[in-house]
Amino acid sequence: MTKAYSRFLTAMFCLFLGGVLVWHIVLPDRDRSDVENRTLEQWPEFSWEALKDGSFTAGVEAYFADQFPLRDQWTVVKARAEQLIGKTEFNDIYLCDDPLYGSGTLISKVPEPDLDLVDKNLSYVDRLQDKTSATVHLGLIPSAAEVWKDLLPAGAPSWDQQAFLEQAADLGLPMVDFHTALTEHAEEYIFYRTDHHWTTRGAYYGYTALMEALGRGDEVRDISSYGVETVTDDFNGTLYSTSGIHWLEPDYMQFWVGEDGLSITSWRSGKAEPAELYDRSYLEAKDKYSSFLGGNQPLCVIENAAGEGKVLLVRDSYSDALAPFLAQDFAEVHLMDLRYYRGGVAAYAEEHGIENIVVLQSIPNFITDRNLVFLAQ
Amino acid sequence: MVFSSLTFLFAYMTITLALYFVSPLKWRNFVLLMVSLFFYGWGEPVYITIMFVSIMIDYTHGLLVEKYRANDKLARYFVGQSVVFNLLLLGFFKYWDFFADNLLLLGITLPENLTLFGNTIALRNIPLPIGISFFTFQTMSYTIDVYRKDAPAQRNIVNFGAFVTMFPQLIAGPIVKYKTVARELDHRVNTTEEFAAGVQRFCVGFAKKVLLANSIGALWDAQLAAGQAGSLTVVGGWMGLLAYGFQIYFDFSGYSDMAIGLGHMLGFTFEENFNYPYCASSVTDFWRRWHMSMTSWFREYLYIPLGGNRGGTAKALRNILIVWFCTGFWHGASWNFILWGLYFAAWLILEKYVMKNVLAKTPAVLKHLYTLIVVFVGWGLFAMENLGVCGRYLAACFGNAPLWSAVDGYTIRSYAITFLALIVASTALGKWVWEKLPERVQQIAVPVLVVISLLIGTAYLVDGSYNPFLYFRF
């Protein structure tokens, strides 16, 4: 190595390290990341106590990583590098061929859950039925890893949701057959490519299964009767964020049901306030799926003077896309989220004269949720 | 703070190198001491006191050994005292829980607390000070080297402190023997050539750790989980062992490369720690190529003082068993590590006394295969502290499981290129090709490779800190 060449290498190395450091310092700190949908770490406050227990230095390291320049872009570089060496799995998300569009679709792997928790969660549903005079329906929605399992890379592991549905059926409670309703239409655009939720079309097939289970299958409206409004064609969902795969065609999102005749009350802030079926402000943000009913909330009631009957959905976010369909037929659709609502399911049903309770959850959520214990209270 | 973290790479290392090189030559050991103490205190703010005590005691003992050299008995006494101090330090922080747990099984209860001057200190579940296994061994080498006249005692406490705390090798080696850096501590020259060589070595290590070790580690985790869930297959079991063996090699040798590279940047020459261990042609040969700074430490400061292989077969056998018991135990305070050490003692004894003639006649391919199987099964013992888990896993590898499943096919397809890269990187093939390249090509390739390893490595580190919050969970 000549002196000049050594100088060149040394300078290159130091400029890279120093350049990134200076960039990091000069770059203004961000409060939150839309792609990650969370607040980012800020510079920790110094105290001798925090230094002694290690939380100060840990905080600095978290700050340094969270505020790193071009944070989102680095994950794309990593995903591309992994793709180059033949990987099809990116942070527990499979990149699969997409027969509909050809650009590929992302499917979240369902890891082996804690089987004790699974048994417990099923037993809480059973105990809810013991406590209430309303009929409890078990509506477990299989995720894309089950419905689209033919698209997964050959041999790719994912927990067997079909076997779980058979286990759940042994409880003897009425089941909503989402599995059949979705697999019959597996060739259609029923899950987003870049998000783990079902599309409005998927939710429509879910609605038909739910109406069937509630004994009102004959009232189901025909798919051609809806006025389809495409509200965005630029939706990049959670799977886009987690996988680092940012090169797929963005999803489009549709609203099929209008708001006419509906009156919506939300307990988002703890007290009743009027709300809307679609919060269109989310369409301008990253988290577009939250435009359905405005996203997570403890309790939401949709009333329709022209409808008939009352139903309580013990919800997760999948319910938000399905509820607009139900609201056309029911006088009252109640959506309760056990992660925030602690008033008791049976007591609520009795107070409001509800005949049917549907535990409506996606399977990946149901098998990992630690709040279902509140079903039995 | 590990080397393969964004904070180390872009903040600590950058600022440290800047401070070091703007300082005048005679201040550099002081700067090195300060930044190393900062490095240590970053992860262990309280344990920095151990560093101070350790520096003071070993520094004093080095001087005492030299002062009383004429009186051999007294000099030996001081060497002994320093060794005992270091072993007590290691014994207390690393092995107390192990001793207490095992003595409890024999019905002996060790005290849970210690009251000194009115302060009660809990003795159980004390967090292990990072790097304690390494720096206690380094400081022991110091007093012994001084006694053996392999190096003069260090009179300058700053220089000595810089040796003990030097951040490149502080937390994961290589174990730097005092005599190998004694001269450079006092007089060293920093040249651009050496710095540039250090840059290349550092980037090799960084790529090994972040790109190779971390990515294959996920495969081992998956197989270990499959073992516990009872869904492991024979093929999956061996893939897991292979993955773990590659992970530990590239993790550890990557770390050593980064340390050696940093040493060059700062003007120190550390001894090599690995020499293509998976190309070994026998188990004996493997241990001449794996973690060489540790094996040579045990040879020089334990095996030879015990008498080595002089004094008859019985004594040699005893010495091998002692050394490998200690080697295993040094790796961790758990029975599986002791077992792992003795497992190798058994193979080394077999090779030395039983298989010698057989091995001499065995074709090279078979010798390599035999060595790899012994070593990788050994990794199974090393990786699984719970002997029940370990037993079930190894039983699956040796046929107590279905041969193969569809998931294995997926795993092989996903990791084929990674495995290929790992195998090539474990051999001297890359080096051989490199040396055949014309100098002109090398000169263009080096900066390109340096930049690629830094860029892709950074991408993996950022991705590792990426933690999207999924809105369907809360």
Side-chain angles (χ1 to χ4, degrees), chain A residues 5 9-10 13 21 35-38 51 57 61 64 71-72 74 78 82 87-89 91 94 154-155 195-197 241 287 289 296 317 339-340 368, chain B residues 6-7 10 13-14 42 45 193 195 199-200 406-407 410 413-414 417 443 446-447 454-455 459-460 462-463 465-469 471-474:
Chain A
Y5 187 70
L9 268 188
T10 300
F13 183 72
L21 180 62
V35 176
E36 291 176 77
N37 196 37
R38 67 176 176 96
L51 181 68
T57 55
E61 293 201 41
F64 199 82
R71 184 168 164 76
D72 301 334
W74 288 110
K78 187 254 183 183
E82 293 272 281
K87 295 280 176 69
T88 47
E89 189 178 338
N91 299 336
Y94 294 116
D195 194 81
H196 63 285
H197 290 107
S241 302
D287 181 11
Y289 184 83
N296 289 335
S317 52
R339 293 168 294 194
Y340 316 105
T368 52
Chain B
L6 295 168
T7 326
F10 293 103
M13 187 166 121
T14 312
W42 184 263
E193 284 86 344
F195 192 98
V199 166
Q200 294 177 47
V407 175
Y410 168 75
R413 277 188 296 280
S414 293
I417 296 177
Q443 277 183 346
V446 167
L454 287 174
L455 284 179
Y460 274 73
V462 174
D463 189 81
S465 75
Y466 213 67
N467 184 19
F469 178 76
Y471 44 80
F472 78 110
R473 315 198 186 277
F474 307 101

Coordinates of all heavy atoms in Angstrom, one line a residue, chain A residues 5 9-10 13 21 35-38 51 57 61 64 71-72 74 78 82 87-89 91 94 154-155 195-197 241 287 289 296 317 339-340 368, chain B residues 6-7 10 13-14 42 45 193 195 199-200 406-407 410 413-414 417 443 446-447 454-455 459-460 462-463 465-469 471-474:
Chain A
Y5 N -2.4 6.0 -1.3 CA -3.6 5.1 -1.2 C -4.1 4.9 0.2 O -5.3 4.9 0.4 CB -3.1 3.7 -1.8 CG -4.3 2.8 -2.1 CD1 -5.2 3.0 -3.0 CD2 -4.4 1.6 -1.3 CE1 -6.3 2.2 -3.2 CE2 -5.5 0.8 -1.5 CZ -6.4 1.0 -2.5 OH -7.4 0.2 -2.6
L9 N -7.9 5.7 1.6 CA -8.8 4.8 2.3 C -9.1 5.3 3.7 O -10.3 5.3 4.1 CB -8.0 3.4 2.6 CG -8.2 2.3 1.6 CD1 -7.6 1.0 2.1 CD2 -9.7 2.1 1.3
T10 N -8.1 5.9 4.4 CA -8.4 6.4 5.7 C -9.4 7.6 5.6 O -10.3 7.6 6.4 CB -7.0 7.0 6.3 OG1 -6.1 5.9 6.4 CG2 -7.2 7.6 7.6
F13 N -13.0 6.3 5.0 CA -13.6 5.7 6.2 C -14.0 6.8 7.2 O -15.1 6.8 7.6 CB -12.5 4.8 6.8 CG -13.0 4.0 8.0 CD1 -13.9 3.0 7.9 CD2 -12.5 4.3 9.3 CE1 -14.3 2.3 9.0 CE2 -12.9 3.6 10.4 CZ -13.8 2.6 10.2
L21 N -22.3 11.1 11.3 CA -22.5 11.7 12.6 C -22.9 13.2 12.5 O -23.9 13.6 13.2 CB -21.2 11.6 13.4 CG -21.2 12.2 14.8 CD1 -22.2 11.4 15.7 CD2 -19.8 12.1 15.5
V35 N -44.4 5.8 9.2 CA -44.2 4.5 8.7 C -44.3 3.5 9.8 O -44.9 2.4 9.7 CB -42.9 4.4 7.9 CG1 -42.7 3.0 7.4 CG2 -42.9 5.3 6.7
E36 N -43.7 3.8 10.9 CA -43.7 2.9 12.0 C -44.9 3.1 12.9 O -45.2 2.2 13.8 CB -42.4 3.0 12.9 CG -41.2 2.5 12.2 CD -39.9 2.8 13.0 OE1 -39.7 2.0 13.9 OE2 -39.2 3.7 12.7
N37 N -45.6 4.1 12.7 CA -46.8 4.4 13.5 C -46.6 4.5 15.0 O -47.3 3.9 15.8 CB -47.9 3.4 13.1 CG -49.3 3.9 13.6 OD1 -49.6 5.0 13.5 ND2 -50.1 2.9 14.1
R38 N -45.5 5.2 15.3 CA -45.2 5.3 16.8 C -44.4 6.6 17.0 O -43.8 7.1 16.1 CB -44.4 4.1 17.3 CG -43.0 3.9 16.7 CD -42.3 2.8 17.4 NE -41.0 2.5 16.8 CZ -39.9 3.0 17.3 NH1 -39.9 3.8 18.4 NH2 -38.7 2.8 16.7
L51 N -28.3 7.2 35.3 CA -27.0 6.8 34.8 C -26.7 5.5 35.6 O -26.2 4.5 35.0 CB -26.0 7.9 35.1 CG -24.6 7.5 34.7 CD1 -24.5 7.4 33.1 CD2 -23.5 8.5 35.2
T57 N -28.0 5.6 29.5 CA -27.2 5.1 28.3 C -28.1 4.3 27.3 O -28.0 4.5 26.1 CB -26.0 4.4 28.7 OG1 -26.4 3.3 29.5 CG2 -25.0 5.2 29.4
E61 N -28.9 5.3 23.3 CA -28.7 4.3 22.2 C -30.1 4.2 21.4 O -30.1 4.2 20.2 CB -28.3 2.9 22.7 CG -26.9 3.0 23.2 CD -26.2 1.6 23.3 OE1 -26.4 0.8 22.3 OE2 -25.5 1.3 24.2
F64 N -30.4 7.4 19.5 CA -29.5 7.4 18.3 C -30.0 6.6 17.1 O -30.0 7.0 16.0 CB -28.1 6.9 18.7 CG -27.0 7.3 17.7 CD1 -26.5 8.6 17.8 CD2 -26.6 6.5 16.7 CE1 -25.5 9.0 16.9 CE2 -25.6 6.9 15.8 CZ -25.1 8.1 15.9
R71 N -33.8 6.8 8.1 CA -34.1 5.6 8.8 C -34.9 4.6 8.0 O -34.6 3.4 7.9 CB -34.9 6.0 10.1 CG -35.2 4.8 11.0 CD -35.7 5.4 12.3 NE -36.4 4.4 13.0 CZ -35.8 3.4 13.6 NH1 -34.5 3.3 13.6 NH2 -36.5 2.5 14.3
D72 N -36.0 5.1 7.3 CA -36.9 4.2 6.6 C -36.2 3.6 5.3 O -36.4 2.5 5.0 CB -38.2 5.0 6.1 CG -38.9 5.5 7.3 OD1 -38.8 4.9 8.4 OD2 -39.6 6.5 7.2
W74 N -33.0 2.9 4.9 CA -32.1 1.8 5.2 C -32.8 0.5 5.3 O -32.2 -0.6 4.9 CB -31.4 2.0 6.6 CG -30.4 3.2 6.6 CD1 -30.6 4.4 7.2 CD2 -29.1 3.2 6.0 NE1 -29.4 5.1 7.1 CE2 -28.5 4.4 6.3 CE3 -28.4 2.3 5.2 CZ2 -27.3 4.8 5.9 CZ3 -27.1 2.6 4.8 CH2 -26.6 3.9 5.1
K78 N -31.9 -3.0 3.3 CA -31.8 -4.4 3.9 C -32.7 -5.4 3.2 O -32.3 -6.5 2.9 CB -32.1 -4.2 5.4 CG -31.8 -5.5 6.2 CD -33.1 -6.2 6.6 CE -32.8 -7.4 7.4 NZ -34.1 -8.1 7.7
E82 N -31.6 -8.8 1.3 CA -32.2 -10.1 1.6 C -32.8 -10.8 0.4 O -32.6 -12.0 0.2 CB -33.2 -10.0 2.7 CG -32.7 -9.5 4.1 CD -32.2 -10.7 4.9 OE1 -33.0 -11.3 5.6 OE2 -31.0 -10.9 4.9
K87 N -34.0 -14.7 0.0 CA -34.9 -14.8 1.1 C -36.3 -14.4 0.6 O -36.5 -13.6 -0.3 CB -34.5 -13.8 2.2 CG -33.2 -14.2 2.9 CD -33.4 -15.3 3.9 CE -32.1 -15.7 4.5 NZ -31.5 -14.7 5.4
T88 N -37.4 -15.1 1.2 CA -38.7 -14.7 0.9 C -39.4 -14.2 2.1 O -40.6 -13.9 2.1 CB -39.5 -15.9 0.3 OG1 -39.3 -17.0 1.1 CG2 -39.1 -16.1 -1.1
E89 N -38.7 -14.2 3.2 CA -39.3 -13.8 4.5 C -38.6 -12.6 5.0 O -37.4 -12.6 5.1 CB -39.1 -15.0 5.5 CG -39.9 -14.8 6.8 CD -39.7 -16.1 7.7 OE1 -39.4 -17.2 7.1 OE2 -39.9 -15.9 8.9
N91 N -38.7 -10.0 8.2 CA -39.2 -9.7 9.5 C -40.6 -10.4 9.7 O -41.6 -9.7 10.1 CB -39.3 -8.2 9.7 CG -38.0 -7.5 9.7 OD1 -36.9 -8.1 9.9 ND2 -38.0 -6.2 9.3
Y94 N -44.0 -12.8 4.6 CA -43.6 -13.4 3.4 C -43.9 -12.6 2.2 O -45.0 -12.0 2.1 CB -44.4 -14.8 3.2 CG -44.0 -15.8 4.3 CD1 -45.0 -16.2 5.2 CD2 -42.8 -16.3 4.4 CE1 -44.7 -17.2 6.2 CE2 -42.4 -17.3 5.3 CZ -43.4 -17.7 6.2 OH -43.1 -18.6 7.2
A154 N -43.2 -22.2 -1.0 CA -43.4 -23.6 -0.8 C -42.8 -24.0 0.6 O -41.6 -23.7 0.8 CB -42.8 -24.4 -1.9
G155 N -43.5 -24.6 1.4 CA -43.0 -25.1 2.7 C -42.9 -24.1 3.8 O -42.5 -24.4 4.9
D195 N -51.0 -4.7 3.6 CA -51.6 -4.5 5.0 C -52.2 -5.8 5.4 O -52.6 -6.6 4.6 CB -52.7 -3.4 4.9 CG -53.0 -2.9 6.3 OD1 -52.3 -2.1 6.9 OD2 -54.1 -3.4 6.9
H196 N -52.3 -6.0 6.7 CA -52.8 -7.3 7.2 C -54.3 -7.4 7.2 O -54.9 -8.5 7.4 CB -52.2 -7.6 8.6 CG -52.7 -6.7 9.6 ND1 -52.1 -5.4 9.7 CD2 -53.6 -6.7 10.6 CE1 -52.7 -4.7 10.7 NE2 -53.6 -5.5 11.3
H197 N -55.0 -6.3 7.0 CA -56.5 -6.3 7.0 C -57.1 -6.9 5.8 O -56.5 -7.0 4.7 CB -57.0 -4.9 7.2 CG -56.7 -4.4 8.6 ND1 -55.8 -3.4 8.8 CD2 -57.2 -4.7 9.8 CE1 -55.7 -3.1 10.1 NE2 -56.6 -3.9 10.7
S241 N -44.6 -1.4 6.2 CA -43.8 -0.8 7.2 C -42.8 -1.9 7.8 O -41.6 -1.7 7.9 CB -44.6 -0.2 8.3 OG -45.4 0.7 7.8
D287 N -51.8 6.0 7.9 CA -52.7 4.9 8.5 C -54.1 5.0 7.9 O -55.0 5.3 8.6 CB -52.7 5.2 10.1 CG -53.5 4.2 10.8 OD1 -53.9 3.2 10.2 OD2 -53.7 4.5 12.0
Y289 N -56.2 2.8 6.8 CA -57.3 1.8 7.2 C -58.1 2.4 8.4 O -59.3 2.1 8.5 CB -56.7 0.5 7.6 CG -57.7 -0.5 7.9 CD1 -58.3 -1.3 6.9 CD2 -58.1 -0.8 9.3 CE1 -59.3 -2.2 7.2 CE2 -59.1 -1.7 9.6 CZ -59.7 -2.4 8.5 OH -60.7 -3.4 8.8
N296 N -59.3 2.6 16.2 CA -59.6 2.0 17.5 C -60.3 2.9 18.5 O -60.0 4.1 18.6 CB -58.3 1.5 18.2 CG -57.7 0.3 17.4 OD1 -58.5 -0.4 16.8 ND2 -56.4 0.1 17.5
S317 N -59.8 -4.5 14.8 CA -59.9 -3.6 13.7 C -60.5 -4.2 12.5 O -61.0 -3.4 11.6 CB -58.5 -3.0 13.4 OG -57.6 -4.1 13.2
R339 N -59.9 -4.0 24.8 CA -58.6 -3.5 25.2 C -58.7 -2.1 25.9 O -57.8 -1.7 26.6 CB -57.7 -3.3 24.0 CG -57.3 -4.6 23.4 CD -56.7 -4.5 22.0 NE -57.6 -4.0 21.0 CZ -57.4 -4.0 19.7 NH1 -56.3 -4.5 19.2 NH2 -58.3 -3.6 18.8
Y340 N -59.9 -1.5 25.7 CA -60.1 -0.2 26.3 C -61.4 -0.2 27.2 O -61.5 0.6 28.1 CB -60.3 0.9 25.3 CG -59.2 0.8 24.2 CD1 -59.6 0.4 22.9 CD2 -57.9 1.2 24.4 CE1 -58.6 0.3 21.9 CE2 -57.0 1.1 23.4 CZ -57.3 0.7 22.2 OH -56.4 0.6 21.2
T368 N -53.4 -14.1 20.5 CA -52.4 -13.5 21.3 C -52.9 -12.4 22.2 O -52.2 -11.8 23.0 CB -51.4 -12.8 20.3 OG1 -52.1 -11.9 19.4 CG2 -50.6 -13.8 19.5
Chain B
L6 N -25.2 1.0 16.2 CA -25.1 2.3 15.5 C -24.4 3.4 16.4 O -23.5 4.1 15.9 CB -26.5 2.9 15.2 CG -27.3 2.0 14.2 CD1 -28.7 2.5 14.1 CD2 -26.7 2.1 12.8
T7 N -24.6 3.3 17.7 CA -24.0 4.3 18.6 C -22.5 4.1 18.6 O -21.8 5.1 18.6 CB -24.6 4.1 20.0 OG1 -25.9 3.7 19.9 CG2 -24.4 5.3 20.8
F10 N -21.0 5.1 14.8 CA -21.1 6.5 14.3 C -20.8 7.5 15.4 O -20.5 8.6 15.0 CB -22.4 6.7 13.6 CG -22.6 5.9 12.4 CD1 -23.4 4.8 12.3 CD2 -21.9 6.3 11.2 CE1 -23.5 4.0 11.2 CE2 -22.0 5.5 10.0 CZ -22.8 4.4 10.0
M13 N -17.0 5.5 18.2 CA -15.7 5.3 17.5 C -15.3 6.5 16.8 O -14.1 6.9 16.8 CB -16.0 4.1 16.5 CG -14.7 3.7 15.8 SD -15.1 2.1 15.1 CE -14.7 2.5 13.4
T14 N -16.2 7.2 16.2 CA -15.8 8.4 15.4 C -15.2 9.5 16.3 O -14.1 10.0 16.0 CB -17.1 9.0 14.7 OG1 -17.8 7.9 14.1 CG2 -16.7 10.1 13.7
W42 N -20.1 3.0 30.2 CA -21.4 3.2 29.4 C -22.4 2.0 29.7 O -23.5 2.3 29.9 CB -21.0 3.2 27.9 CG -22.2 3.4 27.0 CD1 -22.9 2.5 26.4 CD2 -22.8 4.7 26.7 NE1 -23.9 3.1 25.7 CE2 -23.9 4.5 25.8 CE3 -22.5 6.0 27.1 CZ2 -24.6 5.5 25.3 CZ3 -23.3 7.0 26.5 CH2 -24.3 6.8 25.7
P45 N -22.0 1.4 34.6 CA -21.6 2.6 35.4 C -21.0 2.3 36.8 O -20.1 2.9 37.2 CB -22.8 3.5 35.5 CG -23.8 3.0 34.5 CD -23.4 1.5 34.2
E193 N -0.5 4.0 6.9 CA -0.6 2.6 6.3 C -1.2 1.7 7.3 O -2.1 0.9 7.0 CB 0.8 2.1 6.0 CG 1.4 2.7 4.7 CD 2.1 4.0 4.9 OE1 2.0 4.6 6.0 OE2 2.9 4.4 4.0
F195 N -3.2 2.5 9.8 CA -4.6 2.9 10.0 C -5.4 2.3 8.9 O -6.5 1.7 9.1 CB -4.7 4.4 10.0 CG -6.1 4.9 10.5 CD1 -6.3 5.3 11.8 CD2 -7.2 4.9 9.6 CE1 -7.5 5.7 12.3 CE2 -8.4 5.3 10.1 CZ -8.6 5.7 11.4
V199 N -8.6 -0.2 8.9 CA -9.9 0.0 8.4 C -10.4 -1.2 7.6 O -11.5 -1.6 7.8 CB -9.8 1.3 7.4 CG1 -11.1 1.3 6.5 CG2 -9.6 2.6 8.2
Q200 N -9.5 -1.8 6.8 CA -9.9 -3.0 6.0 C -10.2 -4.1 7.0 O -11.2 -4.8 6.8 CB -8.7 -3.4 5.1 CG -8.5 -2.4 4.0 CD -7.3 -2.8 3.2 OE1 -7.2 -3.9 2.7 NE2 -6.4 -1.9 2.9
A406 N -41.5 -30.6 5.1 CA -41.6 -29.5 4.0 C -41.0 -28.2 4.4 O -40.4 -27.5 3.6 CB -43.1 -29.3 3.6
V407 N -41.1 -27.9 5.7 CA -40.5 -26.7 6.2 C -38.9 -26.7 6.0 O -38.4 -25.7 5.7 CB -40.8 -26.5 7.7 CG1 -40.1 -25.3 8.3 CG2 -42.3 -26.4 7.9
Y410 N -38.2 -25.4 2.6 CA -38.3 -24.0 2.6 C -37.0 -23.3 3.2 O -36.5 -22.4 2.7 CB -39.5 -23.5 3.4 CG -39.6 -22.0 3.7 CD1 -39.9 -21.1 2.6 CD2 -39.3 -21.6 4.9 CE1 -39.9 -19.8 2.9 CE2 -39.3 -20.2 5.2 CZ -39.6 -19.3 4.2 OH -39.6 -18.0 4.4
R413 N -34.1 -23.6 0.8 CA -34.1 -22.6 -0.3 C -33.8 -21.2 0.2 O -33.2 -20.4 -0.4 CB -35.5 -22.7 -0.9 CG -35.7 -23.8 -1.9 CD -37.0 -23.6 -2.7 NE -38.2 -23.8 -1.8 CZ -38.6 -25.0 -1.5 NH1 -38.1 -26.1 -1.9 NH2 -39.7 -25.1 -0.7
S414 N -34.3 -20.9 1.4 CA -34.1 -19.5 2.0 C -32.7 -19.2 2.3 O -32.2 -18.1 2.2 CB -35.0 -19.3 3.2 OG -36.3 -19.3 2.9
I417 N -28.0 -19.6 -0.3 CA -26.9 -18.6 -0.7 C -26.2 -18.2 0.5 O -24.9 -18.1 0.5 CB -27.5 -17.4 -1.5 CG1 -28.1 -17.9 -2.8 CG2 -26.5 -16.4 -1.7 CD1 -28.8 -16.9 -3.6
Q443 N -6.8 -2.8 -5.9 CA -6.8 -1.4 -5.4 C -8.2 -0.7 -5.6 O -8.6 0.1 -4.9 CB -5.7 -0.5 -6.1 CG -4.4 -0.7 -5.5 CD -3.3 0.2 -6.1 OE1 -3.5 0.7 -7.2 NE2 -2.2 0.3 -5.4
V446 N -10.8 -2.8 -3.0 CA -10.8 -2.5 -1.5 C -11.8 -1.4 -1.2 O -12.7 -1.6 -0.3 CB -9.4 -2.2 -1.0 CG1 -9.4 -1.6 0.4 CG2 -8.5 -3.5 -1.1
P447 N -11.7 -0.2 -1.7 CA -12.6 0.9 -1.3 C -14.0 0.5 -1.6 O -14.9 0.8 -0.8 CB -12.2 2.1 -2.1 CG -11.2 1.6 -3.1 CD -10.7 0.3 -2.7
L454 N -19.9 -1.2 4.9 CA -20.4 -0.2 5.8 C -21.9 0.1 5.5 O -22.7 0.2 6.4 CB -19.5 1.0 5.7 CG -18.2 1.0 6.4 CD1 -17.4 2.2 6.1 CD2 -18.3 0.7 7.9
L455 N -22.2 0.2 4.2 CA -23.6 0.6 3.8 C -24.5 -0.5 4.2 O -25.6 -0.3 4.8 CB -23.6 0.9 2.3 CG -23.1 2.3 1.9 CD1 -23.2 2.5 0.4 CD2 -23.8 3.4 2.6
A459 N -27.5 -0.7 7.1 CA -28.9 -1.0 6.7 C -29.4 -2.1 7.7 O -30.5 -2.0 8.2 CB -29.0 -1.5 5.3
Y460 N -28.6 -3.2 7.9 CA -29.0 -4.3 8.8 C -29.2 -3.8 10.2 O -30.1 -4.2 10.9 CB -28.1 -5.5 8.7 CG -28.4 -6.4 7.6 CD1 -28.1 -6.1 6.3 CD2 -29.0 -7.6 7.8 CE1 -28.4 -6.9 5.2 CE2 -29.3 -8.5 6.8 CZ -29.0 -8.1 5.5 OH -29.3 -9.0 4.5
V462 N -29.9 -0.7 11.2 CA -31.0 0.2 11.3 C -32.3 -0.7 11.3 O -33.2 -0.5 12.1 CB -31.1 1.3 10.2 CG1 -32.4 2.0 10.3 CG2 -29.9 2.2 10.3
D463 N -32.3 -1.6 10.4 CA -33.5 -2.5 10.3 C -33.7 -3.2 11.7 O -34.8 -3.4 12.1 CB -33.3 -3.5 9.2 CG -34.6 -4.3 9.0 OD1 -35.5 -3.8 8.3 OD2 -34.7 -5.5 9.5
S465 N -33.2 -2.1 14.6 CA -33.8 -1.2 15.6 C -35.2 -0.8 15.1 O -35.9 0.0 15.8 CB -33.0 0.0 15.7 OG -33.2 0.9 14.6
Y466 N -35.7 -1.3 14.0 CA -36.9 -0.9 13.4 C -38.0 -1.7 14.1 O -38.0 -2.9 14.2 CB -36.9 -1.2 11.9 CG -37.7 -0.3 11.1 CD1 -37.3 1.1 10.9 CD2 -38.9 -0.7 10.4 CE1 -38.0 1.9 10.2 CE2 -39.6 0.2 9.6 CZ -39.1 1.5 9.5 OH -39.8 2.4 8.7
N467 N -39.0 -0.9 14.5 CA -40.0 -1.6 15.4 C -41.4 -1.1 15.2 O -41.9 -0.4 16.0 CB -39.5 -1.3 16.8 CG -40.4 -2.0 17.9 OD1 -41.1 -3.0 17.5 ND2 -40.3 -1.5 19.1
P468 N -42.0 -1.4 14.0 CA -43.3 -0.8 13.7 C -44.3 -1.2 14.7 O -44.3 -2.3 15.2 CB -43.6 -1.3 12.4 CG -42.4 -1.8 11.8 CD -41.5 -2.2 12.9
F469 N -45.1 -0.3 15.1 CA -46.2 -0.5 16.0 C -47.5 -0.8 15.3 O -48.0 0.0 14.5 CB -46.3 0.8 16.8 CG -47.4 0.8 17.8 CD1 -47.2 0.1 19.0 CD2 -48.6 1.5 17.6 CE1 -48.2 0.1 20.0 CE2 -49.6 1.4 18.6 CZ -49.4 0.8 19.8
Y471 N -51.2 -1.3 14.5 CA -52.3 -0.7 15.2 C -53.4 -1.7 15.5 O -54.3 -1.4 16.3 CB -52.9 0.5 14.4 CG -53.1 0.3 12.9 CD1 -54.2 -0.4 12.4 CD2 -52.2 0.9 12.0 CE1 -54.4 -0.5 11.1 CE2 -52.4 0.8 10.7 CZ -53.5 0.1 10.2 OH -53.6 0.0 8.8
F472 N -53.3 -2.9 15.1 CA -54.3 -3.8 15.5 C -54.0 -4.4 16.9 O -54.8 -5.0 17.5 CB -54.6 -4.9 14.5 CG -53.6 -6.0 14.5 CD1 -53.9 -7.3 14.9 CD2 -52.3 -5.8 14.0 CE1 -53.0 -8.3 14.9 CE2 -51.4 -6.8 13.9 CZ -51.7 -8.1 14.4
R473 N -52.8 -4.2 17.4 CA -52.4 -4.6 18.7 C -52.4 -3.3 19.5 O -51.4 -2.6 19.5 CB -51.1 -5.2 18.9 CG -50.8 -6.3 17.8 CD -49.6 -7.1 18.3 NE -49.2 -8.1 17.3 CZ -49.8 -9.2 17.1 NH1 -50.9 -9.6 17.9 NH2 -49.4 -10.0 16.2
F474 N -53.4 -2.9 20.2 CA -53.5 -1.7 21.0 C -53.4 -0.4 20.1 O -52.6 -0.3 19.2 CB -52.4 -1.6 22.0 CG -52.3 -2.8 22.9 CD1 -51.4 -3.8 22.7 CD2 -53.3 -2.9 23.9 CE1 -51.4 -4.9 23.5 CE2 -53.3 -4.1 24.7 CZ -52.4 -5.1 24.5

